[in-house]
Amino acid sequence: MKRFLFLLPFLIMLSFLLLFPDTSFTCAASGLMLWFETLLPSLLPFMIISNLLIRTDLLKKWIRIPSGLWHRFFALTCDGAYALLLGFVCGYPMGAKVTADLYRENRISKKEAEYLLTFANHPGPSFLSSYVCLQALGQKALILPTYCIIYLANYLCCLLFRKKADHSAIAADTCPPAGNEKEISIQSPLGEILDTSIMNGFESITKLGGYIILFSVFQGVIKKVFTPLGPVMYVMCGVTEMTTGITALAGTGWSLTFLYPMLLGITAFGGICVAAQTKSMLAGTDLSFGPYVWAKLTNFLLTGLLAFLFVEII
């Protein structure tokens, strides 16, 4: 039964591809262009450089100075803070990818990795400003409030799931000053490390492209089947694939009181497509996916509530 339920969406998509080839082609092409024009140029360089830094063991040289900040406010080691920073700068799903890479390289413990998954994988500032505020809502004035709401809700998630932090690893994480750190010994030639980092980056970005195309087609199925339901269909599109769903919701003409909390809530949640991408980034590890799911549902509620209060009060 589990296998049938897992395969059912793909059987539905296959039927959709055969019955509506023109619509399915348009949906797939839309997903492909989203990947090619947005994700490929914006994420691939970060993926390659991130892999290179992790494999050459240069992380603490970058983030050792504010070690007290990572320990006190986020309950993270200096290595774990790198996943938080990359997740913040790059957005989905770089936080999850760097977390998994650090865990594979034994830079962080399993407990810290699962704790990181509850708040280090979130939308990046460029996506929030350019896509959500300017393109979807058309309101430049909402950029700063959107930053505050999204990242405040994310930090509240960090506090709510703080009991999952690896406090023993934090106590042992001294992050020594630069003058006392020993020279790093690199086991493999730099050229080989660079090649491996490039191939790892291309493998990861190709996976993301496949997920985006699949979920774009599935979104076409939703629009075809649930169009008579109106608002429900738009919400389902947003929950399925965040980016195109946000565009669909923005075109409904709903009042800002309802639209803004819904858009930010879906952005904080990331959609099922981002969840699938995140799961794929954890492949080859024994990290549990449960903490991520619960944290994202919590983040959805917190973000929606903060956005609603902002619209109503401010």
Side-chain angles (χ1 to χ4, degrees):
M1 178 59 72
K2 286 184 178 179
R3 178 170 293 185
F4 174 75
L5 291 175
F6 176 77
L7 292 176
L8 182 59
F10 298 99
L11 294 174
I12 293 173
M13 279 193 284
L14 178 60
S15 302
F16 179 72
L17 289 168
L18 295 173
L19 295 173
F20 307 99
D22 52 344
T23 306
S24 59
F25 176 83
T26 302
C27 293
S30 174
L32 177 62
M33 293 311 295
L34 173 65
W35 172 80
F36 183 76
E37 294 180 347
T38 304
L39 290 185
L40 184 62
S42 63
L43 283 186
L44 182 58
F46 283 103
M47 287 181 172
I48 295 172
I49 294 171
S50 172
N51 270 285
L52 185 65
L53 290 175
I54 291 172
R55 291 175 184 274
T56 53
D57 202 18
L58 294 172
L59 296 179
K60 287 186 179 180
K61 285 191 173 183
W62 292 68
I63 54 178
R64 79 162 63 82
I65 297 174
S67 59
L69 171 68
W70 314 130
H71 296 169
R72 188 172 298 110
F73 291 99
F74 297 98
L76 292 174
T77 63
C78 289
D79 284 331
Y82 183 69
L84 177 65
L85 289 174
L86 261 291
F88 172 77
V89 173
C90 306
Y92 296 124
M94 275 299 292
K97 174 176 168 39
V98 177
T99 297
D101 287 342
L102 289 169
Y103 177 61
R104 291 188 190 99
E105 296 288 326
N106 296 316
R107 301 289 194 275
I108 58 176
S109 65
K110 180 180 179 181
K111 190 173 183 179
E112 182 171 17
E114 291 181 346
Y115 169 58
L116 267 167
L117 290 176
T118 63
F119 66 95
N121 199 46
H122 47 69
S126 61
F127 178 82
L128 293 174
S129 59
S130 62
Y131 196 83
V132 176
C133 296
L134 296 180
Q135 185 171 333
L137 293 172
Q139 297 199 39
K140 187 177 179 179
L142 288 177
I143 293 177
L144 182 58
T146 298
Y147 286 164
C148 294
I149 291 168
I150 289 287
Y151 296 123
L152 174 59
N154 206 56
Y155 185 65
L156 291 176
C157 267
C158 167
L159 297 179
L160 288 173
F161 288 88
R162 197 181 182 93
K163 62 182 180 181
K164 294 182 176 291
D166 191 345
H167 296 285
S168 61
I170 297 169
D173 185 48
T174 56
C175 292
N180 296 333
E181 184 165 317
K182 296 180 180 179
E183 288 296 319
I184 293 169
S185 175
I186 300 173
Q187 301 297 324
S188 303
L190 284 175
E192 183 180 325
I193 294 175
L194 180 58
D195 288 345
T196 304
S197 300
I198 291 173
M199 291 307 298
N200 182 281
F202 270 102
E203 180 183 353
S204 299
I205 202 70
T206 303
K207 282 183 182 179
L208 298 189
Y211 279 105
I212 287 176
I213 292 171
L214 275 177
F215 277 89
S216 294
V217 173
F218 191 67
Q219 202 172 61
V221 176
I222 292 175
K223 290 178 180 178
K224 207 75 173 176
V225 174
F226 295 99
T227 297
L229 297 181
V232 176
M233 183 268 290
Y234 290 112
V235 174
M236 288 179 67
C237 285
V239 171
T240 303
E241 204 289 301
M242 172 184 67
T243 311
T244 51
I246 286 172
T247 302
L249 282 167
T252 57
W254 294 344
S255 67
L256 199 65
T257 303
F258 181 75
L259 179 62
Y260 189 59
M262 182 59 66
L263 283 186
L264 292 201
I266 287 173
T267 302
F269 175 65
I272 300 173
C273 181
V274 168
Q277 294 170 24
T278 301
K279 179 68 173 174
S280 75
M281 295 296 106
L282 306 182
T285 72
D286 60 348
L287 296 176
S288 173
F289 191 55
Y292 174 83
V293 175
W294 284 111
K296 280 300 165 187
L297 291 173
T298 304
N299 208 339
F300 172 84
L301 295 175
L302 286 173
T303 304
L305 177 61
L306 290 174
F308 177 77
L309 292 175
F310 169 77
V311 172
E312 288 296 296
I313 298 173
I314 300 178

